[in-house]
Amino acid sequence: MHCIRCRAPANVEVRRHRSAFCAACYPGWFRNQVERAIGEEEMFTRQQRVLVAISGGKDSLALWHALLILGYEADGMYIRLGIGGYSKRSQEASERFAARHGLTLHQVRNQREGKPCAACGTVKRYHFNKVAVDLGYDVVATGHNLDDEAATLFGNVIHWQTDFLGRQGPVLEATHPKLARKVKPLYRLAERDTAAYAIVERIEYILEECPMAVGAKSLLYKDALNRLEESQPGLKQRFLAGFLKRGKEALAGADPVTIRECAECGQPTTAEVCAYCRMRERKRRQLEQRAAAGS
Amino acid sequence: MHCIRCRAPANVEVRRHRSAFCAACYPGWFRNQVERAIGEEEMFTRQQRVLVAISGGKDSLALWHALLILGYEADGMYIRLGIGGYSKRSQEASERFAARHGLTLHQVRNQREGKPCAACGTVKRYHFNKVAVDLGYDVVATGHNLDDEAATLFGNVIHWQTDFLGRQGPVLEATHPKLARKVKPLYRLAERDTAAYAIVERIEYILEECPMAVGAKSLLYKDALNRLEESQPGLKQRFLAGFLKRGKEALAGADPVTIRECAECGQPTTAEVCAYCRMRERKRRQLEQRAAAGS
């Protein structure tokens, strides 16, 4: 197999594109994909300020790295979730990357709220949005890749969550003054593409997955899609692209959404009280009950 | 495990319903499910004439059997596709069942048109519809079960075939005078439920699958769904039910369909010339070319 650009022996194969690249040409192809996603979906410009959600893993660091080389103004933000050694190592990787490249990395501390990954998602969405709006960033960029997006789509389709389906996409517009615009510049790049980019570019990311994610349904969906991709290369990309082109618009009308401000914290939400405040209230009551039972 | 009806030791478990039945109670539960599907979806009444599409496999024979015991007026129809020993054995099983129960079994002969299962589907749809309309049946009933329907839905969703998605369901209305109404009374019963019914009721069906189906994508989709069902019992049923309840209506509007008569054969179609005639024309040209090459 040879690099489709320079005919040197290939290091990285991208089967769904029937392409292969040597280590010298690959990063250029990768960043070109990122640039095309940003341009075609009108995610942001070089005049805007981008806040990148950083976890210390390959996707978020590869994204930050690519944005810098492409000449975008991108700061990072890391949330300390206190998940034992995993959080410690992911924080170190994030700080090391920022220090090495002389970048700004904002940090917020929020203990994880129990096991479910949904709670972690709520915490992250809350803080990334709040910091972006408070500090005047134009947009929040996350490292969600093709596999993440296809798995989320798969889960939402399996359960026909038409409310989520109507909103899923590479760009989530800010439909309220306190809501940051959210974009996913890696949505057309597979998990193995970002891993290859991180390796070729010598990005020191943490390899381990969050220990809380073990048994998460999203991993089952990824596994199911990976098996189908084996026999039908490109299936994941076509699944996501077909949804964005044909499915999404039809489904978006099914559940129109109204954004208002949370009665507790003032942050934007579709409910009376936002998911973050409801979660904290549940936690507070649990602690009260435990204290009462102990006394 | 005990029968939820009579507490005798159970022979058949229906995990997604958290139920189990002994061999004496199981057929009643199965037919009750069929009766509910017929009633709730208003498929047909005891005053109407039903044409059951028969393949000699467990699903079509279990359906025919259940309809007879439930008191419906149901004749069978078998299409001789000429797929070697498989067709011979499936024809024998169908004729044996009809003879044993003193039933009418119509037969049509149509050689299979090459490998793809899609061609076979075209042939079957064409003849079942034509015979039903010509002989004045009110409805065509097929043995499609929950696994079939979930796999078809899965394939249509993976490729976002919104035109098919808008029409998929347990009842396909006759939107043209030459189009028979089509119903799937087993759509809420799993493949293993119909197998268990056929075994308990001593129905002699052919076990072998069509040899042409090896490698069919529908089998990959069934496999993917079965793996997910393992860890999330009831997932297939919820996937299908959620689609019918929330997804279908939203997607139906995306591709409205107009039915007209085929310019060649007069049978109903969405195109200028129907799929069956287009397929025969391709076949005819192939034979001409081969004859020309040989002369």
Side-chain angles (χ1 to χ4, degrees), chain A residues 23-236:
Chain A
C25 292
Y26 180 72
W29 173 81
F30 182 92
R31 286 191 290 265
N32 192 34
Q33 290 289 314
V34 176
E35 185 74 301
R36 275 183 56 188
I38 293 170
E40 288 177 14
E41 300 293 329
E42 300 181 1
M43 292 184 178
F44 46 81
T45 66
R46 286 183 175 73
Q47 282 68 51
Q48 290 184 306
R49 293 176 65 223
V50 183
L51 183 67
V52 185
I54 299 295
S55 73
K58 65 185 185 317
D59 301 304
S60 59
L61 292 184
L63 170 61
W64 204 3
H65 185 275
L67 292 182
L68 294 172
I69 297 200
L70 288 168
Y72 290 99
E73 194 191 327
D75 294 342
M77 174 170 164
Y78 177 82
I79 301 177
R80 296 189 210 161
L81 288 159
I83 306 174
Y86 168 76
S87 280
K88 186 170 169 287
R89 288 184 288 277
S90 67
Q91 186 185 336
E92 281 166 4
S94 306
E95 290 174 346
R96 202 164 45 227
F97 183 89
R100 196 210 254 187
H101 297 274
L103 299 166
T104 302
L105 180 68
H106 302 289
Q107 295 204 34
V108 170
R109 190 171 164 277
N110 193 123
Q111 293 304 104
R112 72 186 166 86
E113 309 278 346
K115 158 97 187 168
C117 296
C120 186
T122 300
V123 166
K124 287 182 188 165
R125 272 188 297 275
Y126 180 89
H127 288 296
F128 284 131
N129 184 73
K130 195 167 184 310
V131 168
V133 172
D134 289 354
L135 300 184
Y137 285 93
D138 295 289
V139 65
V140 172
T142 56
H144 291 101
N145 59 39
L146 173 59
D147 297 69
D148 297 326
E149 290 299 284
T152 301
L153 177 59
F154 190 82
N156 286 338
V157 160
I158 281 283
H159 300 104
W160 289 98
Q161 295 187 294
T162 47
D163 48 345
F164 294 159
L165 282 168
R167 280 179 283 163
Q168 192 184 341
V171 175
L172 202 60
E173 294 296 344
T175 52
H176 185 279
K178 287 190 183 173
L179 213 52
R181 202 155 173 269
K182 299 193 187 69
V183 298
K184 299 166 185 168
L186 304 184
Y187 85 104
R188 291 197 298 205
L189 289 154
E191 210 152 283
R192 58 195 303 276
D193 301 336
T194 62
Y197 182 79
I199 289 162
V200 172
E201 289 288 14
R202 293 198 176 79
I203 296 168
E204 290 174 37
Y205 65 94
I206 62 157
L207 265 159
E208 63 189 309
E209 295 284 338
C210 174
M212 295 290 148
V214 173
K217 282 181 188 169
S218 60
L219 296 183
L220 294 176
Y221 300 143
K222 278 189 182 176
D223 182 57
L225 288 170
N226 283 339
R227 284 170 190 278
L228 293 171
E229 179 88 18
E230 276 293 312
S231 58
Q232 302 177 55
L235 176 133
K236 272 185 279 195

Side-chain angles (χ1 to χ4, degrees), chain A residues 153-154 157-160 162 217 220-221 224-225 227-228 231-232 235 238-239 242-243 246-247 250-251 254, chain B residues 153-154 157-160 162 217 220-221 224-225 227-228 231-232 235 238-239 242-243 246-247 250-251 254:
Chain A
L153 177 59
F154 190 82
V157 160
I158 281 283
H159 300 104
W160 289 98
T162 47
K217 282 181 188 169
L220 294 176
Y221 300 143
L225 288 170
R227 284 170 190 278
L228 293 171
S231 58
Q232 302 177 55
L235 176 133
R238 289 194 301 273
F239 175 46
F243 165 71
R246 294 188 296 276
L251 290 161
Chain B
L153 176 60
F154 190 82
V157 160
I158 281 283
H159 301 103
W160 289 99
T162 46
K217 283 181 188 168
L220 294 176
Y221 301 143
L225 288 170
R227 285 170 189 276
L228 294 170
S231 58
Q232 303 177 54
L235 175 133
R238 289 194 300 275
F239 175 46
F243 164 71
R246 294 189 296 277
L251 291 161

Side-chain angles (χ1 to χ4, degrees), chain B residues 105-136:
Chain B
L105 180 69
H106 302 289
Q107 295 203 34
V108 172
R109 190 172 164 277
N110 193 124
Q111 293 304 103
R112 70 184 169 87
E113 310 278 347
K115 158 97 188 168
C117 297
C120 185
T122 299
V123 167
K124 286 182 188 168
R125 271 189 297 276
Y126 180 88
H127 287 297
F128 283 131
N129 183 72
K130 193 165 185 312
V131 168
V133 171
D134 289 353
L135 301 183

